Amino acid sequence: HQLSQDGKMRIRNAVGRTATVYIPIAAHNASAGKIQIRMQGRLEELAAMNGTNETLSTGTKVRVVAIVTGSTVQVEPVIAKHQDKEEIEEAAM
């Protein structure tokens, strides 16, 4: 039983992963939007902030770069030539 997962989402596991913008995220950390991210075997929604100069629209691929609060992450757009370890593993399946 000690090895079983408790089912709680651990936001720290999101750092470094890629996600997709679900609700647009305003530029300059003006207001939070939402992302969808696959972690711990399920699709999760998290509030997200964006410090870049551009609003990130729905469907934009982003990378989680930091945790802002216990339920909000900081993201930045993904540069097309970089792939997240998880995406590479999924593509290999």
Side-chain angles (χ1 to χ4, degrees), residues 24-36:
I25 309 167
H28 306 290
N29 293 319
S31 63
K34 285 198 173 187
I35 60 169
Q36 289 184 328

Side-chain angles (χ1 to χ4, degrees), residues 34-77:
K34 285 198 173 187
I35 60 169
Q36 289 184 328
I37 186 168
R38 183 160 302 280
M39 49 189 266
Q40 296 175 211
R42 61 185 183 234
L43 189 62
E44 299 283 349
E45 280 185 17
L46 295 173
M49 302 295 287
N50 160 36
T52 68
N53 296 327
E54 296 179 30
T55 294
L56 302 176
S57 59
T58 300
T60 302
K61 293 289 185 189
V62 294
R63 178 172 318 281
V64 176
V65 295
I67 297 168
V68 177
T69 70
S71 61
T72 305
V73 295
Q74 184 79 29
V75 299
E76 62 184 25

Side-chain angles (χ1 to χ4, degrees), residues 16-18 63 80-93:
R17 292 186 177 268
T18 57
R63 178 172 318 281
K81 65 181 180 179
H82 293 119
Q83 276 189 317
D84 160 286
K85 182 178 126 183
E86 180 182 344
E87 288 176 337
I88 294 168
E89 291 170 357
E90 286 177 6
M93 294 180 166

